[in-house]
Amino acid sequence: MRIFTASIATETNTFSPIPTAMENYLTCVAFRPGEHPADQPTLCSAPLFVARRRATQEGFTLVEGSCFFAQPAGPTTRVAYETMRDEILGQLQAALPLDGVLLGMHGAMVAGGYDDCEGDVLERVRALVGPKCVIGVELDPHNHMTLKRVGLADIIICFKEYPHVDIVPRAEELVTLVLKTIRGEIRPVASLYDCGMIAFYPTTSEPNTSFVARQKSFEGHDGVLSVSFVHGFPHADVPEMGSRMLVYTDNAKAQGDALAIRLGEEIVALRGRTAPPNLDFVDALDQALATDTATGPAIIAEPADNAGGGSASDNTMSLRELVARGVENAAVAPLWDPMAVGFCHAVGAGARLRLRIGGKTSELSGDPFDADCEVLAVAKDCHQSFGEAKGPVGDLAAVRIGGVTVVMNTNRAQALGRELFTALGLDPASYRLLVLKSAQHFMAAYGPLASRVFYSETQGPSTQRYEKHSYDRIARPKWPIDAEAPGALIL
């Protein structure tokens, strides 16, 4: 048995002012064959990570291709996308004949001339490997589950948890089902339901926690192979953006259709109840400052300026408000400002200097914040953890402005692991208030520290108030933009 695996991925915010070029992949994740670390998967390369181990255990031949990932931002340039795609396709062609292909992709990648990069890759892969080769794909749930990609792949599995702490378990499931399909033990058949909506579904809170358990309860019983709830990625103006329910059965299409409709209609019935309150930042701050923090810091999430959703993470609104109010023992992290970080490294810890912080990328970044700062600490070539994965954050610097600590980085990234603080010798649990530039992934590492968590609205292209987006191309009607938007089985 011969199986090929590779990865090409990013999450594209079509409203982001930040272009994504080849350099963004090369400085984030760009592993050529044989270079992928043996002990840690990246966000979208878990199929390779798992298949490498399973090949040794089960005796099949694994051919490794390249793995590429860039931090979410605006569309990838056409030349960058086609260069990476064609590199992987060349490796695939050289590996023929194949029994299976395992692809790690995000599912919300857009490039110049391509609304559905994943569908384009799958179309070209299928043309090379033929109809009998089994193609399996792992995707982030914040994807656009297009009819094209479902029609081309044999099985697609999405992470179930948000934050995405189940990347490796879902890859294990994918590899298992692909191997069973190759061996003729199962015949996966897809059913797809469009919920006609977009929403925020953090699985650390109800009703989403219970819905994940409900998804899992159907798998492995009565011919149900896999259930994936596609949250959708609302920060992209592409035709098939939105929440969808994907069910695979073992050659039982009618049964799969019924389950996809049933679970999809349950999501439709939860409209308006899946997301915690999205407060104006000043209201979130009022409530956070009134919180008893004896058991840990209050946390305010800042999704609109979340690098993980394609934003710059250099908006200064929250920092400005904290300093203006004279808040003590608070921290903002991470704020992307390579120039300010460079200045801090030049003068070193303990020095004082006047810095112009943030506000550099676009009008959505707000105005720069000018302040006299004390450099608390600096650190070079840092990483933060996210489950079993690690991601680069570049050089770090922490400065203090009054009672507020600002953690700045050179590699744009959202708040994921506590290393943003600990690499600088700081303890995130020691603060009264943490303002984290992240939508939900911070919860894996910081949630256990928190006395309370608040979700706030500041400024940025990852806003959770979707009516602020100027959609022109998405399929309508779509709730909550449209009051009446029925769901429907589409495959």
Side-chain angles (χ1 to χ4, degrees):
M1 186 188 299
R2 288 173 58 81
I3 295 176
F4 175 84
T5 183
S7 180
I8 178 170
T10 192
E11 183 179 56
T12 301
N13 184 327
T14 63
F15 304 103
S16 173
I18 305 171
T20 305
M22 194 68 204
E23 182 66 18
N24 299 96
Y25 292 87
L26 296 176
T27 57
C28 189
V29 171
F31 297 125
R32 267 53 189 225
E35 294 178 355
H36 196 286
D39 59 346
Q40 55 179 266
T42 61
L43 179 67
C44 296
S45 65
L48 181 151
F49 177 79
V50 169
R52 182 185 279 173
R53 176 173 47 77
R54 296 282 290 270
T56 301
Q57 294 173 344
E58 302 184 38
F60 60 85
T61 298
L62 183 69
V63 182
E64 297 184 9
S66 296
C67 294
F68 298 103
F69 177 79
Q71 279 291 334
T76 295
T77 64
R78 184 174 191 132
V79 65
Y81 167 62
E82 291 180 347
T83 298
M84 293 182 290
R85 178 200 67 190
D86 293 349
E87 178 177 318
I88 290 171
L89 291 173
Q91 295 162 348
L92 175 71
Q93 187 164 26
L96 295 174
L98 293 164
D99 300 287
V101 175
L102 294 165
L103 296 174
M105 298 192 282
H106 183 280
M109 183 178 184
V110 177
Y114 300 90
D115 281 343
D116 181 8
C117 291
E118 291 80 3
D120 176 63
V121 170
L122 284 167
E123 184 174 48
R124 295 169 189 273
V125 168
R126 180 58 78 190
L128 286 172
V129 301
K132 294 183 179 179
C133 182
V134 178
I135 300 176
V137 183
E138 184 178 36
L139 296 180
D140 189 298
H142 298 109
N143 73 72
H144 316 302
M145 190 60 73
T146 65
L147 285 166
K148 180 177 183 177
R149 63 183 70 165
V150 177
L152 289 164
D154 290 278
I155 190 157
I156 300 174
I157 289 181
C158 301
F159 319 146
K160 286 182 169 63
E161 300 288 353
Y162 182 34
H164 305 325
V165 294
D166 62 332
I167 296 167
V168 172
R170 300 291 81 77
E172 291 278 6
E173 291 175 7
L174 179 69
V175 173
T176 295
L177 292 176
V178 166
L179 292 175
K180 286 186 174 182
T181 304
I182 292 172
R183 292 168 180 151
E185 298 171 14
I186 57 173
R187 182 183 168 194
V189 176
S191 299
L192 185 64
Y193 180 91
D194 188 341
C195 300
M197 60 188 285
I198 48 178
F200 181 55
Y201 308 94
T203 62
T204 52
S205 60
E206 294 293 353
N208 308 305
T209 304
S210 294
F211 191 80
V212 170
R214 184 156 171 72
Q215 285 177 259
K216 293 179 179 179
S217 72
F218 291 100
E219 296 176 324
H221 306 287
D222 303 320
V224 178
L225 301 175
S226 173
V227 179
S228 289
F229 174 44
V230 179
H231 297 194
F233 185 61
H235 311 302
D237 191 16
V238 294
E240 292 187 69
M241 183 273 284
S243 302
R244 293 182 168 180
M245 189 68 61
L246 178 64
V247 173
Y248 284 94
T249 56
D250 184 6
N251 197 27
K253 175 64 173 167
Q255 181 182 346
D257 289 352
L259 182 57
I261 292 170
R262 177 180 174 184
L263 294 177
E265 288 180 345
E266 289 182 17
I267 291 295
V268 172
L270 291 173
R271 287 178 179 178
R273 295 193 284 136
T274 64
N278 178 237
L279 306 170
D280 288 342
F281 182 78
V282 292
D283 295 328
L285 182 56
D286 287 342
Q287 294 186 37
L289 294 177
T291 297
D292 182 354
T293 57
T295 59
I299 292 178
I300 300 177
E302 200 176 334
D305 193 34
N306 166 32
S311 297
S313 282
D314 70 346
N315 185 279
T316 57
M317 177 180 174
S318 57
L319 171 61
R320 190 179 304 276
E321 185 69 18
L322 291 171
V323 174
R325 291 202 192 188
V327 175
E328 295 289 334
N329 200 25
V332 177
L335 197 149
W336 182 48
D337 195 329
M339 184 180 294
V341 172
F343 288 170
C344 291
H345 278 255
V347 299
R352 299 192 65 88
L353 75 168
R354 189 161 181 83
L355 284 177
R356 169 160 284 195
I357 296 173
K360 294 180 172 65
T361 305
S362 75
E363 65 273 16
L364 291 174
S365 300
D367 295 327
F369 186 70
D370 296 290
D372 294 317
C373 304
E374 176 191 358
V375 181
L376 297 178
V378 295
K380 294 189 72 66
D381 299 324
C382 300
H383 291 73
Q384 60 178 338
S385 58
F386 184 55
E388 296 183 53
K390 288 188 181 297
V393 294
D395 296 345
L396 294 174
V399 300
R400 183 160 51 210
I401 306 168
V404 181
T405 297
V406 186
V407 175
M408 300 177 291
N409 58 329
T410 57
N411 282 26
R412 189 174 55 88
Q414 66 175 305
L416 295 173
R418 299 181 193 177
E419 294 92 339
L420 287 173
F421 290 87
T422 59
L424 293 162
L426 305 175
D427 178 8
S430 68
Y431 290 90
R432 176 190 181 189
L433 172 65
L434 297 174
V435 177
L436 301 177
K437 289 182 179 288
S438 176
Q440 172 65 8
H441 285 324
F442 70 91
M443 282 293 289
Y446 294 92
L449 301 177
S451 54
R452 284 193 66 185
V453 175
F454 304 90
Y455 296 80
S456 72
E457 179 71 7
T458 51
Q459 295 170 301
S462 302
T463 176
Q464 290 185 342
R465 298 179 183 177
Y466 307 130
E467 69 277 6
K468 292 184 177 181
H469 284 325
S470 54
Y471 297 114
D472 293 317
R473 305 182 61 229
I474 63 172
R476 303 281 292 269
K478 187 93 62 193
W479 184 90
I481 302 168
D482 304 294
E484 298 295 328
L489 187 75
I490 58 174
L491 179 68

